[in-house]
Amino acid sequence: MIVHKFGGTSLGTAERIAAVAEIIAASRGDSPAVVVSALSGTTDRLIAAARAAALGDVAACQEARSWLGEKHHAVAETLLASHPECGELHALIEEHLDRLGRFIDSIAVLGELTARGHDAVASFGEKLSVAIVAATLRCRGVAAQALSATNLIVTNDQFGSAVPQMEATRQRIQEQVRPLVESGIVPIITGYVGATVDGITTTLGRSGSDFSAAIVAACLDCDELRIWTDVDGILTADPNVVPTARVLRELSYKEATRLARFGAEVLHPRTIGPIIERGIPLCILNSFNPEDEGTRIVEAPSTGRALWPAIVSATGLQLLRVQSNNGPWRLRSATAALARLDDAGIPVQMFSQSFSEQGINLVVSEQDAAHSARLLTQDSANSSPPSHSVYALDTIEQVAMVSVIGLPGDRVHGIASQAFAVLGKQGVRVVAVAQEAAEDSVTFCIPANDVGETVRFLHRELGLGNGKGSETKDAS
Ligand code: ADP
Ligand code: ASP
Ligand code: MG
């Protein structure tokens, strides 16, 4: 049994969905089960619509509704054309959009977007995509059934990053999914979502369909998990930034998790957890280039494999320089600032404090920056001690984080000092630095505009290129 997962990048257009259907059809002999994300761009639109509703921006909600309707109806029309199921699919899309509209209306009436409301709205993309993929397969002669993971993946009520309850989930997947696979029907399951034991919809976190697929794979005891995306696997850098990046053909579970945790978008950091216990191999494959062997991730990779350090970059970030407004800076000032953001559910991507500095550097996503600044500068006389709880923000700057990560078995030691030397040679402004205690990785915070050039320069100077094409080409 093979579990396949297709991300939004593989489901961008009718043509791409037809290619996905071909991959699934070709895998019929493997007893496949499939997990899919929303069509590309859909979840962003849904979340924007929910936020707009809370602010009473009716025009933005209507605009999102039209975008979603046009995109999904157009794809359905192209894929099913004159097939008898086409009308049913259009009706199902309308039904989902009407329900979505009712959720959005109630958020507008309340004037508030709760975490629960956010997840209810964000989950609609996958409801639409499973219906389209399953119908596409059926009209090509492959028996397929759309399934909602709200009936399969049982989670706690931590909306936005829910934690699955594996025993209950396993039982449901064994009862509801296995019989379909065994009778030759391909289940097409919604990624990203789950539900509490009371049936309240939750989500597993942005880009969480990889994690959903790993949960399904583990609960089915499948032979292999295949995550299909738009690049040839996990590379030494994002190939959209560095055209000469090399594919890391074999990685251990630990190495892949490490790269994902540093922000390599291609794999969600929670993916490996469910499969590691059962030793299920994971392949990252390219749906645009299905012949390529991709990256294979296993417990114990072969000893003679080729391995290089990787460079992971993250963009869309803001740096906040936080100082004490009244009185000396103490360790407690730093912990209280971090606690304020954590209590509001704002992830801090990186923070640093030097020996001499009277403050800390915090990196948060652009979307969270204004809210973080408000939380940090507002008066909070109730907190203890009050004299150290009021902060001044020195600078707010758009930044990118660039991490250079040595992988065990390769040039781990010295990788940080090599990276420092390269950045010195390039002359880029390094705004903040963070490093693990071991000398096997380093993260630089640099001005956002310099990220493409810096990653390409580091990649070339560290000798990571595949020798094909030019590393200096501006691909950003
Ligand atoms: P999907 O929609 O399939 O889940 P994602 O956008 O989440 O796809 O992940 C694929 C993207 O990850 C690629 O298009 C690439 O730009 C990015 N990426 C970032 N770092 C890496 C890396 N080291 N190797 C491969 N891809 C990477
Ligand atoms: N559709 C969800 C998102 O955009 C989940 C995913 O793509 O994996 O975050
Ligand atoms: Mg993804």
Side-chain angles (χ1 to χ4, degrees), residues 5 7-9 210 228-231 233-235 237-240 264-266:
K5 177 262 170 177
T9 56
D210 296 340
W228 295 86
T229 183
D230 64 344
V231 289
I234 302 186
L235 288 89
D238 182 341
N240 292 314
E265 207 185 336
V266 63

Side-chain angles (χ1 to χ4, degrees), residues 393-416:
L393 287 188
D394 184 22
T395 330
I396 300 186
E397 179 170 359
Q398 286 213 325
V399 291
M401 289 193 324
V402 176
S403 304
V404 181
I405 307 146
L407 294 173
D410 190 63
R411 286 173 281 161
V412 172
H413 296 292
I415 193 77

